Amino acid sequence: MLEPRFNLPGQTAFYKGKVRDVYTIEDKLMVMVVSDRISAFDVVLPRPIPYKGQVLNQVAAIMLEATKDIVPNWVKSTPLPNVTIGLKCETFPVEMVVRGNLTGHAWRTYKTGERVLCGVTMPEGLKENDYFPTPIITPTTKAHEGHDEDISREEIIARGLVSREDYEQLEKYTLALFQKGKELAAARGLILVDTKYEFGKHGEQIVVIDEIHTPDSSRYFYAEGYEENQQAGKPQRQLSKEFVREWLMANGFQGKDGQAVPEMTDEFVHTVSERYIELFEKITGRTFVKEDVTQADAEARIVAALKAQ
């Protein structure tokens, strides 16, 4: 069931994103199908990765359940390993990116000599992958097409993208979720380095939506060896989909004009699938169970779950 297209009762809209298909039901509920499509550098790669959708959706379901005492979330049920049914919310047009360590985009900015990222001043004297004194929030706009763009807290409020009152609450929720995520990661021998959260409103209530703490939305380091690697100036062992980006770059692709996606062999696709399953088991501490269903069975289970709402 790699690329199903359902016809659901009460369906009022359909949206196909890079890796998710979203069905709106009577303008009240959303059915999110996390596909096996994989994207990198804002490009959907030509071959799907078996079980990737199940991995991401199940990690998200586990993490949302573990954090629902901190902030309400959109989830109503998960009728299939790669399908979530939840509340239709008015989405805030920003993504709340939170960083505990100087890595990725933050490090690339820092090593140019720049010390301000999204209106946040980063301290002097840090090395790549060092901890920030306290986590920083570096929001981005939510782009339907192309790249998300960095934006500051002040600009978000000044442009009226989010009210000051709501934005201050989003900051509180973001830091609390990140702290919980770090605790969950530490219990698994991991460091939650950075991640992003998306929020919406259901009525007057702010809720967290989409996936959280997955290997696609987050970066993890292995805790074992972290200090030794920092002292020796060595790269950190990562747990994320960064290995896919690295393979693409090694084969001459970074999503730039004129570049062709390298051939994804059967062996490579299988390796990526196994790596995602490994990510699931490391992050959650649970054994991954592959589930294969027909489109007809999948649709029947989704319809039954919708009737139960």
Side-chain angles (χ1 to χ4, degrees), residues 67-258:
T67 56
K68 66 181 183 181
D69 60 325
I70 297 172
V71 54
N73 64 61
W74 73 293
V75 176
K76 300 288 283 183
S77 67
T78 50
L80 288 152
N82 68 323
V83 177
T84 296
I85 296 174
L87 299 168
K88 182 179 186 294
C89 301
E90 182 182 351
T91 304
F92 287 109
V94 296
E95 294 183 352
M96 302 297 283
V97 180
V98 56
R99 304 175 185 276
N101 299 67
L102 179 61
T103 193
H105 175 48
W107 168 246
R108 289 191 292 273
T109 301
Y110 195 91
K111 70 179 180 180
T112 68
E114 180 62 54
R115 291 294 179 267
V116 178
L117 180 62
C118 300
V120 178
T121 300
M122 298 179 284
E124 296 288 347
L126 297 181
K127 305 190 305 295
E128 183 178 10
N129 300 328
D130 277 351
Y131 284 102
F132 288 114
T134 57
I136 64 172
I137 296 174
T138 57
T140 68
T141 58
K142 266 180 64 69
H144 289 295
E145 300 290 339
H147 298 273
D148 298 338
E149 295 182 359
D150 290 346
I151 190 169
S152 69
R153 176 187 202 270
E154 291 70 25
E155 190 177 0
I156 288 169
I157 295 169
R159 286 170 52 182
L161 297 177
V162 183
S163 71
R164 181 177 296 276
E165 180 183 9
D166 281 346
Y167 191 80
E168 288 174 353
Q169 185 61 63
L170 294 185
E171 287 184 321
K172 291 176 184 176
Y173 279 150
T174 294
L175 293 173
L177 286 169
F178 189 60
Q179 178 58 34
K180 180 66 173 183
K182 287 183 71 67
E183 292 168 5
L184 293 168
R188 300 291 311 142
L190 300 170
I191 299 166
L192 178 58
V193 175
D194 52 36
T195 191
K196 68 179 179 70
Y197 303 112
E198 297 185 44
F199 295 92
K201 261 192 167 180
H202 186 252
E204 292 303 307
Q205 185 176 56
I206 294 176
V207 297
V208 64
I209 59 175
D210 204 17
E211 64 182 27
I212 69 168
H213 302 159
T214 72
D216 273 21
S217 67
S218 314
R219 191 188 323 256
Y220 291 90
F221 289 159
Y222 285 90
E224 184 179 358
Y226 169 81
E227 291 294 347
E228 293 83 351
N229 288 334
Q230 282 304 94
Q231 290 176 14
K234 294 181 178 178
Q236 293 296 338
R237 293 174 61 217
Q238 287 197 29
L239 195 70
S240 72
K241 75 167 184 179
E242 187 67 24
F243 70 94
V244 176
R245 298 188 196 96
E246 290 173 352
W247 176 81
L248 289 167
M249 287 189 288
N251 285 275
F253 182 79
Q254 296 184 56
K256 297 177 181 177
D257 290 342

